[in-house]
Amino acid sequence: MDNIIQPVACEILDIKQESKQEYTFKVKTDIRPAHGQFLQLSIPKIGEAPISVSSFGDGWMEFTIRSVGKVTNEIFAKRPGDELFLRGAYGNGWPMETFQRKHMVIITGGTGLAPVRSMLRKFEQEPDFTKSVHLICGFKNQEGILFRNELETWKNHFSTIYALDNENFPGWRKGFVTEFVKEIPFDTFGDAYEVVVVGPPPMMKFTAMECTKCGVPDEKIWLSFERKMSCAVGKCGHCRIDEVYVCLDGPTFNYTRAKYLVD
């Protein structure tokens, strides 16, 4: 039986700059995660960090990373051909069986787009998987926009609203994602829809509240927590909120449970 906490050395295949602060690392690996899971990325003698999978395929996986501390700074010093150590995948991914043949509403803020990117790619490549996809993506400013090419491509496949918090930008709306929730035609979906919200905790809180104002039941809303995780196997308690271990019970949660997970 494989050791679930043993890091494995994996070659970096490619590094792509996404924005001023984020880069996507493509890594060679046979690990096959579920959509929405995360892995622990590490560098020996430096430390490790939990990072969501932003895309994957046969023999490779991608992580979109912001440099925010010692470990990620060291990762950013790596080059193609160097090694990263991976362990995982961990946590519960998105409930894809629940999402099948539904109208999907996906609302993201900032780097919250990364944990849903692989799922959006699936929806694009398998148009019969969903009834429709309504995508609202928000970023603070132009410098923070991720996956620009894919955002343009998704315009051809999904109903999209792209917004910047406080800047005017051609083709983009100005304002917070919460302002655009009311434009989603929830009343045309019947009961066959689900809502995914990912972003900073305040964004998720107020976006979920806006959804409920539009008549969306709590059980149709799903969130992903990006809370600091350490061991990833429910032993250290770093990610614990009350009796919930985010690394084991999440990082994806139904809103019926997530609305009570307050630090």
Side-chain angles (χ1 to χ4, degrees), residues 17 48 55 151 262:
Q17 184 172 6
E48 63 179 2
S55 191
L151 288 172
V262 180

Side-chain angles (χ1 to χ4, degrees), residues 15 43 64 88 114 139 190 242 256:
I15 302 172
I43 298 176
T64 302
F139 297 94
D242 296 327
T256 54

